[in-house]
Amino acid sequence: MTQTGRNLQCSLLMGLSLYGLMLAVPASADPIVVELFTSQGCSSCPPADANLIKVSDRPDVLALSFGVTYWNYLGWEDTFAREEFTQRQMVYEGKLGHSGAFTPQIVVGGKRDVIGHDLAELEALIDAVGPVVAGPTIEITGDRLVVGAGAIPAQPADIWLVRYDPNITQVPVARGENRRRVLPIKNAVKELTRLGGWNGSLTEIALQPAPDGLASAILVQNILGGEILAAKKL
């Protein structure tokens, strides 16, 4: 074979390899939603906070940090905690096989969970759950959110709007179990709003722009802490 022939063969093989990699990752796949339920007043939470920061850099992950309220009595009120975030965690627990809420807890895809202290264990769970590839499409057209038609869910799903801070915030804690520590928190959720329901039909909803400094995401999720059917970073 001539040198020119060898070069052409190498180019063809490289092209086929790249094509194979493209086929292995579906272009239409939504990000895998990774939700950490945490508290600045919980001494066992910082390792999970750190691991959420690490997985947030994965392009296939939407990482969200929800501050919960039930440890506020320990001497430090979590500056990001809201009661609606606590309620979101509570509705997961029965379907995940838990009798009550705890921190830290990381829920992946709305259907499996892990404590989150072990990065390898967390990443293995993310890979096992995998991205959603068969859910409805989510698009923004002007000031309209459009959730496309898809398979009819057993019950109308919820459409959630999440606003979060995409930066790392350094939080100094003055009291409680983490007193005198500065905790790095990334993707802290600031707003969680149910926009409406989705019953399998194309659905359009008016959408306001995000406040300055906040990023947005849309989740389409089975009701009462169910599986996430679609997700999109806006």
Side-chain angles (χ1 to χ4, degrees):
M1 182 182 292
T2 65
Q3 185 61 44
T4 300
R6 292 191 185 94
N7 291 340
L8 287 172
Q9 185 180 49
C10 289
S11 298
L12 178 60
L13 290 172
M14 290 177 63
L16 289 172
S17 297
L18 290 171
Y19 180 68
L21 289 172
M22 292 171 64
L23 290 179
V25 180
S28 60
D30 292 355
I32 305 163
V33 180
V34 177
E35 303 174 67
L36 168 63
F37 296 95
T38 185
S39 173
Q40 297 163 12
C42 161
S43 61
S44 60
C45 285
D49 295 329
N51 286 338
L52 189 80
I53 291 173
K54 291 173 183 175
V55 301
S56 71
D57 292 331
R58 289 179 46 157
D60 62 338
V61 164
L62 168 58
L64 301 170
S65 177
F66 289 92
V68 298
T69 57
Y70 47 82
W71 296 129
N72 284 352
Y73 77 92
L74 294 177
W76 177 257
E77 291 195 8
D78 188 298
T79 57
F80 298 145
R82 294 195 177 186
E83 186 58 33
E84 57 264 37
F85 304 162
T86 301
Q87 293 304 313
R88 179 170 178 82
Q89 184 187 20
M90 295 291 189
V91 298
Y92 272 130
E93 302 305 357
K95 290 187 176 180
L96 293 172
H98 304 301
S99 59
F102 58 93
T103 56
Q105 180 183 26
I106 296 180
V107 180
V108 179
K111 56 186 179 181
R112 294 179 63 182
D113 74 314
V114 68
I115 292 173
H117 287 166
D118 187 313
L119 179 60
E121 182 182 31
L122 172 58
E123 292 193 314
L125 179 58
I126 292 170
D127 293 338
V129 170
V132 177
V133 295
T137 58
I138 300 173
E139 301 293 343
I140 301 297
T141 303
D143 62 352
R144 308 290 292 179
L145 165 67
V146 180
V147 179
I152 300 174
Q155 293 179 287
D158 292 319
I159 302 173
W160 294 101
L161 169 64
V162 186
R163 309 280 201 195
Y164 61 97
D165 184 347
N167 302 301
I168 294 177
T169 302
Q170 302 290 344
V171 180
V173 178
R175 297 178 301 279
E177 292 186 351
N178 288 319
R179 61 188 176 278
R180 294 191 295 275
R181 296 186 66 175
V182 177
L183 305 180
I185 307 293
K186 185 179 181 184
N187 291 5
V189 176
K190 300 302 182 71
E191 300 176 17
L192 178 66
T193 306
R194 183 183 182 277
L195 297 179
W198 180 76
N199 63 4
S201 301
L202 187 145
T203 302
E204 295 191 30
I205 301 172
L207 190 64
Q208 298 297 318
D212 289 345
L214 296 187
S216 301
I218 298 293
L219 313 179
V220 180
Q221 182 174 22
N222 282 334
I223 63 172
L224 299 176
E227 179 181 357
I228 293 175
L229 306 176
K232 187 177 182 70
K233 303 175 189 179
L234 304 185

